[in-house]
Amino acid sequence: MKNYWGAAMNRIFEQLAGLGRSGLEIIQAMGRATIMLYRAVFGRSVSHASFLSLLTRQIYSVGVLSLIIITVSGLFIGMVLGLQGYNILVRYGSEQSVGQLVALSLVRELGPVVTALLFAGRAGSALTAEIGLMKATEQLSSLEMIGVDPLKRIIAPRFWAGVISMPLLACIFSMVGIFGGAMVGIDWLGIYQGSFWGNMEQAVDFRSDVVDGLIKSVVFGFVATWIAVFQGYDATPTSEGISRATTRTVVYASLAVLGLDFILTAVMFGEL
Amino acid sequence: MRMRTVEISVGAFLLAGIFALVLLALRVSGLSISTEAHSYRLYAEFDNIGSLTKRAKVAMGGVTIGRVVAVELNKKTYMARVVMDIDANVDNIPVDSSAAILTAGLLGEKFVGISIGGANEYLQDDETVDDTQSAIVLEEMIGKFLLGAVNKDDAAKGENF
C-alpha cells in the first residue's frame, strides 16, 4: 500500500516537473529572443552604406516578392466584402453604405490582420528556412570566424526589412481591397458612385481609423518578423529542425497576430 | 538578380506603399490638409438632436461648410449642445440664422442645416446660433399622426350623431 502511494506521488511530481520544465523553456526562449533582438538592433553596426544595400536586398525578397499575393488577396477580399455587404444592406434600402462597410472593415481590421497572416506564411517562413539553413550549413559560425557579427549582417537587415515592408503592404492591401469593393459595388451592382465614396469619406476618420490601422500593421510586422528570424536563428541545425522551425514560425506568428489584434482593438476602439 | 533591378523594384515598392497611404488619407478618409487652422467655432442648442453624431456635416443650401466636433448635454438647460467647426471662408453667416437637424434621405445620416437670416451682423468665433429646430424623430411623428387620425375619427363620428 505504501509502495503504491509512493509511486503515485512520484508520478504527480514528474508531471509537475514536466510542466515546470516547459515553463522554464518558454521563458528561456523568450529571453534568448529578446537578447538576439537587442544585439541585432543596438549592437556594433556594420558600415552605413553596406547596411543600406543589405536592407534593400531584403526588402526586395520580403516586400516586393510578397506584392502579388497581397494585391490578389486584397482585390478578392474587397470584392467579396462589397458583394456580401450589398446583399444584406439592399434589404434595408441602404446599399449606398457599402463603401463605408468595405472601407472600415479593411482599414481597421482585415488590412493589417490578413496582410500579417499572409506575410507570416509567405515571407516569415522563407526567412526562417533561410536562416535555419545558414545555421545548419555553418555559414553563421563561419561569418563569426572571419570577424563578422551574423546578428548585424544577417538578422538585422531581415528584421528591419520586415518591419518596414509590413505597413506598406497593409496599406496597399487596403487600397486594392477598397478599389475591388468599388468595382463590384459601382460598376457591377450599380450603386451611385457619389454616395459610395461620399459615405466612405464621412465614415472613415484619418486619425482614428487609418493611423490606428497603420499602428496595428507596424506592431504585427515587428512581431511576425521577430518570431521568424528568431525561429531560424534558434533552429536545431538539422533538416528536421528547420522544418519544425518553419512550421513554428507560421503557427506562432499567426497566433500572436490574432491575439495582439484583439488587445490592440480593445485599446484603440473599445472602452479600455 | 542584378543589384540595380533589385534597387529599382524596391524603390517602386516603397513609392507604391506611400502612395497607397496617401490615397487612404485623401480619398478614403477625406482628410483635407488644412481644416484645423482655417475654421471657426459655433455652438447651437437643440431640444432633441436625434441621432446626430460627431463628424456629421454642417451644410448650408446643401453645400458642406463644416463639421460637428462634439455633442454634449448642457446640464443647466437640459438641452443638447452641438459644437461645430465652420470653414473660415464662410464668414458671413447672419446672427439671426437658424440651425435645423435634417436627414439625408429617409433613413440616411443626420446633419446640421443652416438657413440664412436677414441681419447685417455676422456670427463670430465662439458664438451661439439661437434659433434652432430639433431633429424629426420618426416615432414621435408616427405617434402624432396616429393620435391625429384617431381624433379626426372621433370628430367625424360626433358629426354623424
Side-chain angles (χ1 to χ4, degrees), chain A residues 53 56-57 59-60 63-64 67 103 107 165 168-169 171-172 175 178-179 197 200-206 214, chain B residues 1 3 6-7 9-10 13-14 16-18 20-21 23-31 55-57 67 109:
Chain A
S53 100
T56 312
R57 190 166 277 280
I59 290 181
Y60 177 78
V64 177
L67 263 181
V107 169
S165 302
L168 296 173
L169 287 172
C171 282
I172 294 172
M175 209 53 238
I178 288 168
F179 275 110
W197 291 109
M200 188 189 291
E201 268 184 24
Q202 195 163 8
V204 180
D205 183 54
F206 181 70
L214 203 66
Chain B
M1 182 69 69
M3 199 57 203
V6 171
E7 277 171 355
S9 51
V10 168
F13 168 63
L14 294 180
I18 292 164
L21 180 65
L23 222 55
L24 279 179
L26 297 182
R27 187 79 201 258
V28 176
S29 69
L31 183 80
R55 287 200 282 129
K57 64 178 181 178
R67 256 162 219 290
E109 280 200 54

Side-chain angles (χ1 to χ4, degrees), chain B residues 40-43 81 83-84 123-129:
Chain B
Y40 63 100
R41 188 151 285 193
L42 290 184
Y43 301 93
R81 188 154 174 268
V83 186
M84 300 171 285
L123 284 168
Q124 303 295 320
D125 191 28
D126 273 335
E127 287 191 334
T128 303
V129 180

Side-chain angles (χ1 to χ4, degrees), chain A:
Chain A
M1 197 62 195
K2 202 174 180 189
N3 218 350
Y4 176 76
W5 272 111
M9 285 307 272
N10 249 346
R11 199 171 303 156
I12 290 173
F13 275 126
E14 226 164 77
Q15 293 280 329
L16 207 60
L19 191 70
R21 207 179 307 129
S22 48
L24 280 176
E25 267 167 20
I26 291 171
I27 292 171
Q28 276 175 354
M30 283 165 85
R32 282 201 304 276
T34 313
I35 290 170
M36 181 207 75
L37 186 71
Y38 177 81
R39 291 203 351 231
V41 173
F42 295 109
R44 183 174 45 84
S45 180
V46 291
S47 80
H48 212 67
S50 84
F51 183 76
L52 264 185
S53 100
L54 287 171
L55 184 66
T56 312
R57 190 166 277 280
Q58 288 312 317
I59 290 181
Y60 177 78
S61 67
V62 167
V64 177
L65 294 182
S66 307
L67 263 181
I68 293 177
I69 187 172
I70 293 295
T71 44
V72 172
S73 347
L75 187 70
F76 279 114
I77 285 182
M79 283 160 69
V80 166
L81 276 177
L83 207 54
Q84 291 279 20
Y86 180 83
N87 277 333
I88 291 169
L89 288 172
V90 79
R91 286 192 212 160
Y92 305 102
S94 48
E95 66 270 17
Q96 64 273 40
S97 311
V98 169
Q100 177 179 338
L101 174 103
V102 171
L104 279 182
S105 33
L106 275 170
V107 169
R108 282 185 182 176
E109 282 298 325
L110 291 175
V113 172
V114 177
T115 309
L117 294 180
L118 293 172
F119 182 81
R122 163 68 185 75
S125 57
L127 284 178
T128 305
E130 192 188 10
I131 298 172
L133 194 67
M134 279 183 184
K135 191 179 179 187
T137 52
E138 293 183 346
Q139 292 179 51
L140 292 187
S141 28
S142 2
L143 273 179
E144 228 162 330
M145 203 78 105
I146 58 170
V148 177
D149 184 2
L151 283 171
K152 276 322 263 189
R153 181 148 186 111
I154 305 293
I155 305 290
R158 284 169 174 75
F159 173 74
W160 284 118
V163 174
I164 293 169
S165 302
M166 208 2 245
L168 296 173
L169 287 172
C171 282
I172 294 172
F173 183 96
S174 298
M175 209 53 238
V176 171
I178 288 168
F179 275 110
M183 212 164 70
V184 168
I186 295 169
D187 299 329
W188 183 16
L189 299 169
I191 301 168
Y192 173 57
Q193 87 174 61
S195 50
F196 184 93
W197 291 109
N199 264 344
M200 188 189 291
E201 268 184 24
Q202 195 163 8
V204 180
D205 183 54
F206 181 70
R207 170 63 196 80
S208 71
D209 296 325
V210 178
V211 172
D212 279 359
L214 203 66
I215 292 171
K216 270 188 180 180
S217 62
V218 173
V219 173
F220 295 163
F222 181 89
V223 170
T225 324
W226 184 15
I227 290 175
V229 290
F230 174 68
Q231 290 297 345
Y233 190 69
D234 205 47
T236 321
T238 57
S239 45
E240 195 202 350
I242 294 172
S243 95
R244 255 190 286 138
T246 314
T247 313
R248 272 206 301 269
T249 294
V250 177
V251 173
Y252 289 174
S254 308
L255 290 179
V257 163
L258 294 171
L260 272 175
D261 180 48
F262 175 72
I263 295 171
L264 285 175
T265 309
V267 171
M268 286 167 176
F269 302 108
E271 299 294 313
L272 232 79

